[in-house]
Short mmCIF file of all heavy atoms in Angstrom, two decimals:
data_model
loop_
_atom_site.label_atom_id
_atom_site.label_comp_id
_atom_site.label_asym_id
_atom_site.label_seq_id
_atom_site.Cartn_x
_atom_site.Cartn_y
_atom_site.Cartn_z
N LYS T 117 6.19 28.80 33.41
CA LYS T 117 7.10 27.67 33.30
C LYS T 117 8.55 28.14 33.31
O LYS T 117 9.43 27.47 33.87
CB LYS T 117 6.81 26.88 32.01
CG LYS T 117 7.68 25.65 31.84
CD LYS T 117 7.39 24.91 30.55
CE LYS T 117 8.31 23.71 30.40
NZ LYS T 117 8.12 23.01 29.10
N SER T 118 8.81 29.30 32.70
CA SER T 118 10.17 29.82 32.59
C SER T 118 10.58 30.66 33.78
O SER T 118 11.76 31.03 33.89
CB SER T 118 10.28 30.68 31.31
OG SER T 118 9.91 29.96 30.16
N GLY T 119 9.64 31.02 34.64
CA GLY T 119 9.96 31.83 35.80
C GLY T 119 10.23 33.29 35.47
O GLY T 119 11.03 33.94 36.15
N VAL T 120 9.55 33.82 34.43
CA VAL T 120 9.72 35.23 34.06
C VAL T 120 8.39 35.95 34.16
O VAL T 120 7.32 35.33 34.21
CB VAL T 120 10.29 35.37 32.63
CG1 VAL T 120 11.67 34.74 32.52
CG2 VAL T 120 9.34 34.76 31.58
N GLN T 121 8.46 37.28 34.17
CA GLN T 121 7.25 38.10 34.20
C GLN T 121 7.16 38.98 32.96
O GLN T 121 8.18 39.52 32.51
CB GLN T 121 7.25 39.01 35.44
CG GLN T 121 7.05 38.28 36.75
CD GLN T 121 7.02 39.25 37.92
OE1 GLN T 121 8.00 39.92 38.20
NE2 GLN T 121 5.87 39.33 38.60
N ILE T 122 5.95 39.10 32.41
CA ILE T 122 5.67 40.10 31.38
C ILE T 122 5.39 41.41 32.11
O ILE T 122 4.44 41.50 32.89
CB ILE T 122 4.44 39.71 30.53
CG1 ILE T 122 4.59 38.30 29.96
CG2 ILE T 122 4.21 40.75 29.44
CD1 ILE T 122 5.66 38.13 28.93
N VAL T 123 6.21 42.44 31.87
CA VAL T 123 6.10 43.65 32.69
C VAL T 123 5.72 44.90 31.91
O VAL T 123 5.38 45.93 32.51
CB VAL T 123 7.42 43.90 33.46
CG1 VAL T 123 7.68 42.78 34.46
CG2 VAL T 123 8.60 44.05 32.52
N THR T 124 5.76 44.84 30.59
CA THR T 124 5.34 45.99 29.79
C THR T 124 5.06 45.50 28.37
O THR T 124 5.40 44.36 28.02
CB THR T 124 6.42 47.10 29.78
OG1 THR T 124 5.89 48.28 29.16
CG2 THR T 124 7.67 46.66 29.04
N GLY T 125 4.43 46.35 27.57
CA GLY T 125 4.14 45.90 26.21
C GLY T 125 3.37 46.93 25.41
O GLY T 125 3.24 48.09 25.81
N ASP T 126 2.86 46.47 24.28
CA ASP T 126 2.16 47.36 23.37
C ASP T 126 1.26 46.51 22.48
O ASP T 126 1.56 45.35 22.20
CB ASP T 126 3.18 48.14 22.52
CG ASP T 126 2.52 49.15 21.60
OD1 ASP T 126 1.67 49.92 22.09
OD2 ASP T 126 2.83 49.16 20.40
N THR T 127 0.15 47.09 22.03
CA THR T 127 -0.76 46.41 21.12
C THR T 127 -1.11 47.35 19.98
O THR T 127 -1.50 48.49 20.22
CB THR T 127 -2.06 45.97 21.83
OG1 THR T 127 -1.72 45.13 22.93
CG2 THR T 127 -2.97 45.21 20.88
N LYS T 128 -0.98 46.87 18.75
CA LYS T 128 -1.37 47.63 17.57
C LYS T 128 -2.25 46.75 16.69
O LYS T 128 -2.14 45.51 16.71
CB LYS T 128 -0.15 48.06 16.76
CG LYS T 128 0.78 49.06 17.46
CD LYS T 128 0.14 50.42 17.59
CE LYS T 128 1.15 51.50 18.02
NZ LYS T 128 1.78 51.24 19.31
N VAL T 129 -3.15 47.37 15.93
CA VAL T 129 -4.00 46.65 14.98
C VAL T 129 -3.79 47.24 13.59
O VAL T 129 -3.80 48.47 13.43
CB VAL T 129 -5.49 46.75 15.38
CG1 VAL T 129 -6.36 46.02 14.36
CG2 VAL T 129 -5.72 46.17 16.78
N VAL T 130 -3.58 46.36 12.60
CA VAL T 130 -3.42 46.81 11.21
C VAL T 130 -4.60 46.31 10.38
O VAL T 130 -5.32 45.40 10.78
CB VAL T 130 -2.09 46.32 10.61
CG1 VAL T 130 -0.91 46.89 11.37
CG2 VAL T 130 -2.03 44.78 10.58
N GLU T 131 -4.78 46.92 9.21
CA GLU T 131 -5.92 46.59 8.35
C GLU T 131 -5.87 45.13 7.89
O GLU T 131 -4.81 44.52 7.81
CB GLU T 131 -5.95 47.50 7.13
CG GLU T 131 -6.11 48.98 7.44
CD GLU T 131 -4.78 49.69 7.57
OE1 GLU T 131 -3.75 49.03 7.88
OE2 GLU T 131 -4.76 50.92 7.36
N ARG T 132 -7.04 44.62 7.58
CA ARG T 132 -7.18 43.26 7.07
C ARG T 132 -6.27 43.06 5.85
O ARG T 132 -6.20 43.90 4.96
CB ARG T 132 -8.62 43.00 6.68
CG ARG T 132 -8.94 41.54 6.36
CD ARG T 132 -10.40 41.41 5.92
NE ARG T 132 -11.31 41.90 6.94
CZ ARG T 132 -11.85 41.14 7.89
NH1 ARG T 132 -11.53 39.86 7.94
NH2 ARG T 132 -12.69 41.66 8.77
#
Side-chain angles (χ1 to χ4, degrees):
K117 182 181 179 184
S118 304
V120 298
Q121 289 182 297
I122 306 292
V123 296
T124 189
D126 184 49
T127 302
K128 295 290 192 300
V129 179
V130 298
E131 299 92 335
R132 190 183 302 268

